[in-house]
C-alpha cells in the first residue's frame, strides 16, 4: 500500500489549495479514503471521507462548506479542494485508506501553511 | 466533536506492561466497536496498530492488545521494548460517518 500526498504549500488566509493523493499497491476502488491532518506539535484530526464510488462524502464540522473531497478511480487518486483557508487549517495533511473503520497506508503527508 | 481523552504520558521499564486509556462517550467509543490505535514516532507518519477495538493488522507484534469497557478503550503494550517509545493515538467512529481522534499519549521506556 502506497499513498503519496502532494500540493501543500504556503497560502494566504482566504486563499485556496488543492491537495492530491496518488494511490498504488492495492485495489483503490475497493476502499473508502480519508484525509486526516496534524497541526505541528499537536494531535491528529479527522477531516473528511469519501466512499468507494465517490458519491458519498462527509466532513468534520471545522471544514464543512469550505473543503471538498473527491476521487478518480480511473487514475487512483483522491483530492481535497480547500477554499477560504484559515490560519487554523495549517497542518500536515495525510491521505489514508479505510480498513474496517481503521486507517492505514499513512504516507509522509503534505504540509499546508496558511499565513500572510 | 470533542477529542477523546487520553493521558498525556505513560511510562514503563523494559519488559513491563503499559496501558493507555482512551475515554469518550456513548456517541463514539461506547456506541461502536470501531476503536483503532496508532503509533507515531517523532517526525514520522502514524501507523495503524489496532482496529475494531482489538484486531491487529498483519505485522503488528502480539505484544500490542486492545480492549474496551463502556466509554473507555485501552491499549496495552506488554513486554515493553525500547522501540515502543512513541506517541500513541486512539480513534473512534462517532456515528453519521464521522470519526474522532484522541489527544495522544507519549509513551516513555525508562
Amino acid at each position: 500500500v502506497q499513498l503519496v500526498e502532494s500540493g501543500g504549500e504556503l497560502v494566504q488566509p482566504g486563499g485556496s489549495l488543492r491537495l492530491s493523493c496518488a494511490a498504488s499497491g492495492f485495489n483503490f476502488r475497493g476502499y473508502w479514503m480519508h484525509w486526516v491532518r496534524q497541526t505541528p506539535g499537536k494531535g491528529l484530526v479527522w477531516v473528511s471521507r469519501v466512499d468507494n464510488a465517490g458519491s458519498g462524502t462527509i466532513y468534520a464540522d471545522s471544514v464543512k462548506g469550505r473543503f471538498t473531497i473527491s476521487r478518480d478511480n480511473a487514475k487512483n487518486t483522491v483530492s481535497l479542494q480547500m477554499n477560504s483557508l484559515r490560519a487554523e487549517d495549517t497542518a500536515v495533511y495525510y491521505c489514508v485508506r479505510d480498513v474496517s473503520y481503521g486507517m492505514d497506508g499513512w504516507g509522509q503527508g503534505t504540509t499546508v501553511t496558511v499565513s500572510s | 466533536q470533542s477529542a477523546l481523552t487520553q493521558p498525556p504520558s505513560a511510562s514503563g521499564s523494559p519488559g513491563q506492561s503499559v496501558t493507555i486509556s482512551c475515554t469518550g462517550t456513548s456517541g463514539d467509543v461506547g456506541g461502536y466497536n470501531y476503536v483503532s490505535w496508532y503509533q507515531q514516532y517523532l517526525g514520522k507518519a502514524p501507523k495503524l496498530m489496532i482496529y475494531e477495538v482489538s484486531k491487529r493488522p498483519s505485522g503488528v507484534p502480539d505484544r500490542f492488545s486492545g480492549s474496551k469497557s463502556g466509554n473507555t478503550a485501552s491499549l496495552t503494550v506488554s513486554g515493553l521494548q525500547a522501540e515502543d517509545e512513541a506517541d500513541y493515538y486512539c480513534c473512534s467512529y462517532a456515528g453519521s460517518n464521522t470519526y474522532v481522534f484522541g489527544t495522544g499519549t507519549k509513551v516513555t521506556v525508562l
Side-chain angles (χ1 to χ4, degrees):
Chain A
V1 177
Q2 188 171 23
L3 296 167
V4 179
E5 303 90 343
S6 62
E9 63 181 51
L10 172 64
V11 61
Q12 291 191 339
S16 297
L17 207 55
R18 187 176 182 86
L19 306 183
S20 294
C21 171
S24 61
F26 65 101
N27 177 25
F28 179 72
R29 64 185 65 218
Y31 291 85
W32 295 353
M33 298 295 295
H34 300 267
W35 285 95
V36 175
R37 68 187 182 186
Q38 185 169 32
T39 308
K42 297 285 181 64
L44 299 165
V45 176
W46 174 79
V47 173
S48 182
R49 186 228 77 194
V50 61
D51 67 9
N52 306 48
S55 54
T57 60
I58 190 75
Y59 303 91
D61 288 344
S62 59
V63 307
K64 199 174 298 181
R66 301 187 298 122
F67 289 12
T68 303
I69 189 172
S70 60
R71 67 189 295 162
D72 185 334
N73 285 341
K75 296 182 178 179
N76 285 6
T77 59
V78 60
S79 299
L80 187 68
Q81 177 66 41
M82 304 186 295
N83 299 330
S84 302
L85 283 162
R86 307 167 180 168
E88 54 263 37
D89 296 319
T90 294
V92 175
Y93 284 74
Y94 295 99
C95 157
V96 292
R97 180 180 72 163
D98 188 292
V99 286
S100 295
Y101 297 89
M103 301 171 196
D104 77 349
W106 299 75
Q108 287 310 300
T110 187
T111 300
V112 173
T113 303
V114 184
S115 175
S116 54
Chain B
Q1 186 65 250
S2 298
L4 307 175
T5 301
Q6 297 180 233
S9 62
S11 62
S13 299
Q16 290 186 332
S17 294
V18 64
T19 297
I20 304 165
S21 61
C22 169
T23 302
T25 69
S26 58
D28 38 62
V29 174
Y32 309 93
N33 288 322
Y34 292 131
V35 175
S36 52
W37 289 90
Y38 303 85
Q39 177 190 63
Q40 186 177 32
Y41 294 116
L42 186 63
K44 301 296 185 181
K47 174 186 175 183
L48 178 65
M49 304 301 283
I50 296 286
Y51 66 101
E52 288 186 12
V53 176
S54 60
K55 296 181 179 179
R56 279 186 309 276
S58 174
V60 173
D62 59 7
R63 302 185 292 103
F64 292 85
S65 62
S67 62
K68 191 187 84 166
S69 178
N71 296 339
T72 298
S74 298
L75 173 72
T76 297
V77 185
S78 305
L80 206 57
Q81 299 181 5
E83 66 200 51
D84 299 330
E85 186 161 295
D87 292 329
Y88 291 84
Y89 294 91
C90 62
C91 180
S92 176
Y93 179 71
S96 301
N97 292 308
T98 64
Y99 301 75
V100 59
F101 279 92
T103 50
T105 297
K106 180 177 180 59
V107 169
T108 301
V109 180
L110 301 172

